Amino acid sequence: MGINHAAISGPKEAVIGRREDGALALSPIDQILVGRFACREFCNAPVPRQTIEQILRVARFAPSGANIQPWHVYVLAGAAKDRVSTALLDAHQNSRDEHISEYKYYASDLPDLYLKRRQEFGRLFYGSLGIAQIDLDARSRQTAKNYTFFGAPVGLIVTIDRRLEVGSWLDLGMFVQNVMLAAAGRGLQSCPQETFAKYHRILRRLLSIPDEQMVVCGISIGKAKAEGRETLMPRADIDEFATFQGFEL
Ligand SMILES: Cc1cc2nc3c(=O)[nH]c(=O)nc-3n(C[C@H](O)[C@H](O)[C@H](O)COP(=O)(O)O)c2cc1C
């Protein structure tokens, strides 16, 4: 089954449904959830350290198995962020084949359902940027923007202790989502970025990341350049991923 575009024309309508009076029944947290999107163009208005501290202070209430809280973040702004950007842009330009992530994000053989969704992502994403999918130079220039944190004033590098198991990666994902939602609740947008994992050796050196920590992803945080934008990306409707049993109401 493909993606049901009729049900996902706009995230708010798609997710929430309508009340009897026709208004959208959005709870405050729903609004934050559907208002978050992977922002790839930030304005450079600074975000104070205190705001990031507040975001992390609430994000740490993410659940984790046995409450082991397996997250660690390196928070970068100003010259520290620029130093990382310069080094990673240089590597992306000159030595990208010498670097590889310590973990595999995507399966080599994506099952058809996910392959189709990835193709749809590529079509929408590069289409929105006016980049032909066969234009590898333009795609590489777009990838490079990851390393400037898309112009965001704050960049996080997220790591996990490599001695932990896959369950802890679930916990880490919840923490990452909490960071992004806490940011959205403060009028800030974010982008989670696995692209940083590739350059773990450089990041390790620049940020003094200990050997036992594995670089998982980055997160750019700042004010979106375009206010009021929604995600470009559709979502499959619930009948494509949920099976209900036993309900009487
Ligand atoms: C763990 C993770 C890693 C991601 N890595 C990147 C990345 O490296 N670069 C990028 O531009 N987007 C990245 N994304 C953003 C996804 O492309 C985006 O979340 C997805 O297309 C859905 O769009 P939305 O978040 O705007 O709803 C990542 C998302 C996740 C959850």
Side-chain angles (χ1 to χ4, degrees), residues 56-243:
L56 295 176
R57 214 169 270 130
V58 291
R60 75 198 157 126
F61 285 94
S64 62
N67 198 28
I68 69 170
Q69 306 163 67
W71 37 79
H72 196 99
V73 289
Y74 295 81
V75 187
L76 308 174
K81 181 176 67 73
D82 292 346
R83 213 155 57 99
V84 164
S85 292
T86 303
L88 300 194
L89 282 171
D90 178 68
H92 177 71
Q93 199 67 38
N94 300 312
S95 62
R96 77 181 76 156
D97 295 341
E98 295 165 23
H99 298 267
I100 186 166
S101 169
E102 290 194 273
Y103 73 96
K104 210 164 165 189
Y105 192 93
Y106 297 105
S108 315
D109 275 321
L110 272 185
D112 209 40
L113 170 67
Y114 308 111
L115 192 61
K116 285 208 175 95
R117 288 180 183 163
R118 188 163 75 174
Q119 286 163 347
E120 173 79 341
F121 163 80
R123 199 180 62 71
L124 291 168
F125 178 56
Y126 291 112
S128 74
L129 298 167
I131 296 174
Q133 287 198 57
I134 51 164
D135 187 345
L136 298 183
D137 285 344
R139 286 176 59 162
S140 172
R141 283 195 297 277
Q142 176 58 34
T143 300
K145 291 184 184 171
N146 276 278
Y147 304 119
T148 66
F149 297 90
F150 298 116
V154 176
L156 270 53
I157 299 296
V158 180
T159 65
I160 193 167
D161 192 313
R162 69 177 73 251
R163 295 166 295 188
L164 300 179
E165 291 290 355
V166 67
S168 297
W169 287 64
L170 271 180
D171 305 338
L172 187 68
M174 295 187 203
F175 172 77
V176 168
Q177 173 75 334
N178 267 8
V179 169
M180 296 191 293
L181 295 180
R186 289 166 173 76
L188 299 172
Q189 283 299 344
S190 59
C191 188
Q193 293 161 264
E194 53 86 20
T195 38
F196 284 98
K198 178 178 168 90
Y199 295 114
H200 61 95
R201 281 191 283 134
I202 298 173
L203 290 166
R204 194 173 297 292
R205 180 168 47 77
L206 290 177
L207 306 178
S208 304
I209 299 174
D211 287 346
E212 72 270 14
Q213 294 284 324
M214 202 189 284
V215 174
V216 177
C217 65
I219 311 176
S220 299
I221 300 180
K223 202 134 189 85
K225 210 163 202 173
E227 283 290 342
R229 250 211 50 192
E230 300 185 328
T231 182
L232 271 176
M233 295 300 154
R235 296 295 195 268
D237 207 350
I238 61 167
D239 60 0
E240 294 189 43
F241 66 85
T243 313

Side-chain angles (χ1 to χ4, degrees), residues 29-86:
I29 195 156
D30 292 342
Q31 292 188 22
I32 292 167
L33 275 160
V34 301
R36 182 214 60 81
F37 64 92
C39 181
R40 298 183 181 90
E41 231 187 338
F42 293 89
C43 59
N44 59 5
V47 174
R49 174 176 171 153
Q50 204 189 14
T51 304
I52 301 295
E53 284 182 358
Q54 283 171 352
I55 287 170
L56 295 176
R57 214 169 270 130
V58 291
R60 75 198 157 126
F61 285 94
S64 62
N67 198 28
I68 69 170
Q69 306 163 67
W71 37 79
H72 196 99
V73 289
Y74 295 81
V75 187
L76 308 174
K81 181 176 67 73
D82 292 346
R83 213 155 57 99
V84 164
S85 292
T86 303

